[in-house]
Amino acid sequence: MIDQNSQFFAILTEVGEAKQANATALGQSWTFAQMGVGDANGTDPIPNRTQTRLINEWRRAAVNQVRTDPANPNIIITEQVIPADVGGKWIREIGLYDAAGDLVAVANCAPSFKPLLVQGTGKTQIIRMNFIVASTASVVLKIDPAIVLATREYVDTQIVEAMAKMDFKHSVLVATTASIALSGVQTIDGVLLPADARVLVKNQGDAKENGLYVVSSTGVWKRTQDADSSAEVTPGLFVSVEKGTANGDSVWQLVTDAPIVLGTTALAFEMAVGRTGVSAGSYANVTVDKYGRVIAGTNPTTLAGHGITDGLRVGAVSQQYPILAAPAPGGVDNTGTGGALQIREAQEVGAAQTTLDYAPRILFHWQGLKARDLAMSNLGDLLWGSNLVYHGGNFSPASKANLASPAFTGTPTAPTATAGTNTTQLANTAFVWSAVNAYATTVTASLNLKADLATSLRIGSVSRQRPILSGPIPAGADNGGDGAGGAAEIREVQEVGNTQSDMKYAPSLLFNWSSKFARYLKMSPVGDLVWGDKKVFTEGNITDVLATVAMQPNGRVLIPTKDGTPLYLQWYEGPLAGAETVAYPAVSHPVPFPTECLFAGVFTRSTSSNTLSDQMFQMEYWDRLGVKVFPQWFGTGNQSLVKPLIFAIGN
């Protein structure tokens, strides 16, 4: 007899227990299909795990709802709706059948009479069975909506769950900026939270605690209804933040990849839209995050502020020591030791600093040895070493006689030296006449030792000789034996006439170094200056340089520029894109750029001419070593058919 001591419960049958164990062990699915009700022949039944059928079943139909209990995931809730036109019997026992038709769960209930409409009353009755399983992982919570009736609660629940599974969640009041205790009312990001406010928690020390929460004024916070299950927290989830000093008016995205098990998987959120803390304005230097947003900006006024540590300052006296040197040593085929120029200034030249120690100067080096300073004195004189350099302002050749072969006018006179004088004193005709008569034999012998006039250079006519100009000592400093010296030879095979246009007739200077042939410096018949067999570019033909490019090894092109800094252009393929779940690797340039990559772009090339591909590439970022591109999928064709074609330019 039913009274206040009666117990009502639901259990799995032996068949149900075995099927659940088998499904869990083998990873197979288990589906509930039908629910039966009976009157137990008027008895008060007690569920028995050995049952294979109800005592007296009078109705069996498809279940209307199968779901897990939100408060306890190990409890499965099943429902059946009995319409108003079915009944006329008592309900004392309930059975649940799986897709194979086996009774897998049985329950008893307080007796309830289901009337028929013909009895003058009617009702639509909901029968619900709750039972505990060890794990719901293998249970398929699925019904056929075409053959069941839906309660209002079921419809409301389905709408809420469908909305909760969307990637765009209801906005939150604030977002955390540090790890917090998930309980009680508190102030976050400058906002005092009211009870029931929604909060984005994203900075917990244990990242599995991150997510969307509702503030509780008396106890522990709970996750929001639209993000309190694994099915509702999906990769790419977006949520807007309404208020806050740091995070107000921002949008955050869940960047954790699937699969996500809520409460187990570490969740990471990143700002997709929002303030970066940089005020509006123009900045010389900016820092950009991976989304292309400016997160920092400065306007430095120094070279160091721009990251330049070896540049010359402009508009100020420099106390640096810039050294200018050729990229390769001088000589034939890059042999030998080269030279360098160094700009020196001990310190700023002031009115009281008048000694040469403070003079601005250019220091010349040769073969690793100091040669000499070219300096300006405090009087404005140009000095080579410590010697004054003569120029048009301090020397007039018209008022001076040349030391070599001076030309006098009129009748110049000079004192007559004493006979036998052997000094640098000038000799007049009287001294010469006396000396010639006294030492005729000696003078004659001396004249015989002079060079034949035939070997002298002719003046006033085209010369076909080959004069060689060379210093009497080797090149270098202090007459050191640090090289065999150099020479310049004036070459002209024969007189250049109108019909002699071959380069072998070109007037030229032949440079020799260390007893090795170096190269000719020639003028071509069209007026070009030629070094060896290469045209020398000048201000008049520099546009020829800028209009040419040169192919380089490793599939790149060198583009000369006017300031001498070359640009490199290179293009290449990346590897084949994988399936949508395969991460695409970074791609290295075939040849890293020496300084930086100025621009990179990507195109998509299909490896199949007759198969539609649903992928394309976009550029994520580039640097001097390579690029990072990512493929996109559209779901309209095949995958793993395309490669990226990358175009990059830099210096």
Side-chain angles (χ1 to χ4, degrees):
M1 178 178 180
I2 300 297
D3 57 24
Q4 66 269 23
N5 297 317
S6 299
Q7 298 293 315
F8 304 102
F9 56 94
I11 61 172
L12 290 175
T13 64
E14 286 183 338
V15 174
E17 291 173 350
K19 288 198 172 187
Q20 184 197 20
N22 191 56
T24 302
L26 300 179
Q28 298 175 344
S29 60
W30 190 29
T31 304
F32 301 129
Q34 293 180 309
M35 180 180 289
V37 295
D39 61 6
N41 289 326
T43 65
D44 296 327
I46 300 297
N48 190 322
R49 57 188 298 274
T50 62
Q51 285 184 242
T52 58
R53 62 185 180 84
L54 297 181
I55 296 173
N56 185 34
E57 180 179 311
W58 58 267
R59 184 178 190 274
R60 184 185 301 185
V63 295
N64 290 74
Q65 182 177 186
V66 181
R67 59 187 175 89
T68 58
D69 189 339
N72 188 338
N74 288 335
I75 294 180
I76 293 180
I77 301 174
T78 58
E79 287 183 359
Q80 182 188 114
V81 178
I82 302 177
D85 59 348
V86 176
K89 295 182 180 294
W90 286 88
I91 300 175
R92 290 187 174 88
E93 57 181 342
I94 307 169
L96 185 64
Y97 299 88
D98 65 5
D102 294 324
L103 181 69
V104 295
V106 63
N108 61 343
C109 64
S112 174
F113 186 75
K114 176 63 175 67
L116 289 171
L117 290 175
V118 296
Q119 294 178 268
T121 185
K123 66 177 180 179
T124 299
Q125 187 165 349
I126 299 174
I127 306 298
R128 178 176 296 165
M129 177 189 292
N130 297 1
F131 58 95
I132 299 175
V133 296
S135 172
T136 59
S138 59
V139 178
V140 178
L141 307 180
K142 181 180 180 182
I143 62 171
D144 186 350
I147 62 173
V148 300
L149 297 176
T151 65
R152 176 171 181 172
E153 178 189 6
Y154 170 77
V155 174
D156 290 344
T157 301
Q158 292 300 307
I159 293 175
V160 171
E161 290 181 353
M163 292 293 293
K165 292 178 182 178
M166 295 178 63
D167 277 345
F168 290 92
K169 303 299 182 183
H170 296 301
S171 63
V172 296
L173 182 63
V174 295
T176 61
T177 59
S179 182
I180 64 170
L182 297 173
S183 63
V185 173
Q186 52 188 293
T187 297
I188 294 178
D189 199 11
V191 179
L192 178 61
L193 303 180
D196 299 326
R198 291 167 59 90
V199 178
L200 169 60
V201 176
K202 59 181 179 61
N203 304 97
Q204 295 301 99
D206 188 352
K208 69 181 181 182
E209 297 179 353
N210 289 336
L212 304 181
Y213 286 83
V214 175
V215 174
S216 172
S217 60
T218 60
V220 177
W221 293 4
K222 292 184 178 180
R223 296 184 185 268
T224 61
Q225 185 179 1
D226 59 351
D228 60 355
S229 68
S230 300
E232 298 167 345
V233 179
T234 55
L237 176 155
F238 283 93
V239 62
S240 300
V241 180
E242 300 171 3
K243 295 183 178 180
T245 302
N247 298 321
D249 300 322
S250 62
V251 178
W252 293 76
Q253 181 182 23
L254 177 62
V255 296
T256 302
D257 293 334
I260 294 176
V261 178
L262 195 61
T264 300
T265 305
L267 302 182
F269 291 84
E270 291 185 0
M271 181 186 289
V273 177
R275 299 190 298 263
T276 64
V278 180
S279 300
S282 298
Y283 298 93
N285 288 352
V286 296
T287 302
V288 180
D289 66 9
K290 67 180 181 180
Y291 298 110
R293 299 177 306 156
V294 176
I295 59 176
T298 59
N299 287 307
T301 57
T302 64
L303 291 174
H306 286 279
I308 301 173
T309 58
D310 57 355
L312 290 177
R313 292 181 293 171
V314 177
V317 175
S318 172
Q319 295 182 7
Q320 299 165 286
Y321 293 156
I323 297 176
L324 312 177
V332 180
D333 300 326
N334 293 338
T335 62
T337 303
L341 298 177
Q342 182 177 6
I343 300 173
R344 293 295 301 273
E345 182 181 278
Q347 55 182 294
E348 183 177 351
V349 178
Q353 298 164 341
T354 59
T355 66
L356 283 178
D357 292 338
Y358 299 100
R361 66 192 66 207
I362 297 177
L363 190 64
F364 288 79
H365 292 273
W366 185 256
Q367 294 189 340
L369 302 175
K370 175 182 176 182
R372 223 163 239 89
D373 294 301
L374 184 63
M376 184 188 77
S377 75
N378 65 312
L379 299 177
D381 292 325
L382 186 62
L383 305 177
W384 175 248
S386 59
N387 298 315
L388 179 66
V389 176
Y390 290 99
H391 52 80
N394 59 16
F395 178 78
S396 176
S399 64
K400 305 293 182 182
N402 295 329
L403 291 176
S405 302
F408 298 106
T409 60
T411 306
T413 61
T416 302
T418 304
T421 299
N422 186 20
T423 67
T424 59
Q425 181 180 353
L426 291 175
N428 56 20
T429 57
F431 178 83
V432 173
W433 179 259
S434 175
V436 169
N437 285 320
Y439 301 103
T441 303
T442 303
V443 171
T444 301
S446 298
L447 291 175
N448 289 334
L449 296 176
K450 301 298 181 182
D452 194 294
L453 291 176
T455 63
S456 301
L457 290 177
R458 289 182 291 171
I459 300 175
S461 63
V462 176
S463 172
R464 293 175 180 167
Q465 298 165 289
R466 296 180 181 176
I468 298 177
L469 311 179
S470 178
I473 59 173
D478 302 325
N479 295 338
D482 52 356
E489 182 179 352
I490 302 173
R491 295 297 300 271
E492 183 182 279
V493 177
Q494 54 184 297
E495 181 180 354
V496 179
N498 292 335
T499 61
Q500 298 165 339
S501 60
D502 192 282
M503 286 295 288
K504 68 183 179 180
Y505 298 108
S508 59
L509 290 176
L510 182 62
F511 289 83
N512 293 280
W513 183 257
S514 298
S515 300
K516 297 180 180 178
F517 169 71
R519 214 162 251 88
Y520 286 100
L521 183 63
K522 300 180 179 181
M523 183 185 76
S524 74
V526 295
D528 289 328
L529 187 62
V530 179
W531 175 250
D533 58 351
K534 304 296 183 181
K535 181 195 294 187
V536 176
F537 291 102
T538 65
E539 184 178 4
N541 59 17
I542 189 62
T543 54
D544 294 344
V545 178
L546 301 180
T548 60
V549 297
M551 286 297 295
Q552 300 293 305
N554 302 310
R556 62 176 182 163
V557 169
L558 168 65
I559 306 175
T561 61
K562 188 172 183 179
D563 65 358
T565 302
L567 292 178
Y568 297 94
L569 172 65
Q570 54 182 315
W571 55 93
Y572 52 92
E573 274 188 351
L576 193 71
E580 186 170 359
T581 58
V582 179
Y584 195 83
V587 184
S588 298
H589 299 311
V591 180
F593 290 107
T595 303
E596 63 178 333
C597 178
L598 300 175
F599 170 80
V602 63
F603 301 91
T604 303
R605 185 180 78 80
S606 176
T607 58
S608 174
S609 61
N610 56 8
T611 303
L612 177 66
S613 172
D614 70 341
Q615 295 170 285
M616 68 173 288
F617 286 90
Q618 292 194 36
M619 182 65 63
E620 182 174 343
Y621 70 82
W622 63 74
D623 57 27
R624 59 176 292 271
L625 300 178
V627 300
K628 184 71 170 69
V629 299
F630 63 92
Q632 286 190 317
W633 293 267
F634 303 99
T636 59
N638 295 315
Q639 299 181 3
S640 305
L641 293 178
V642 299
K643 292 183 177 181
L645 295 177
I646 299 162
F647 171 91
I649 186 169
N651 55 30

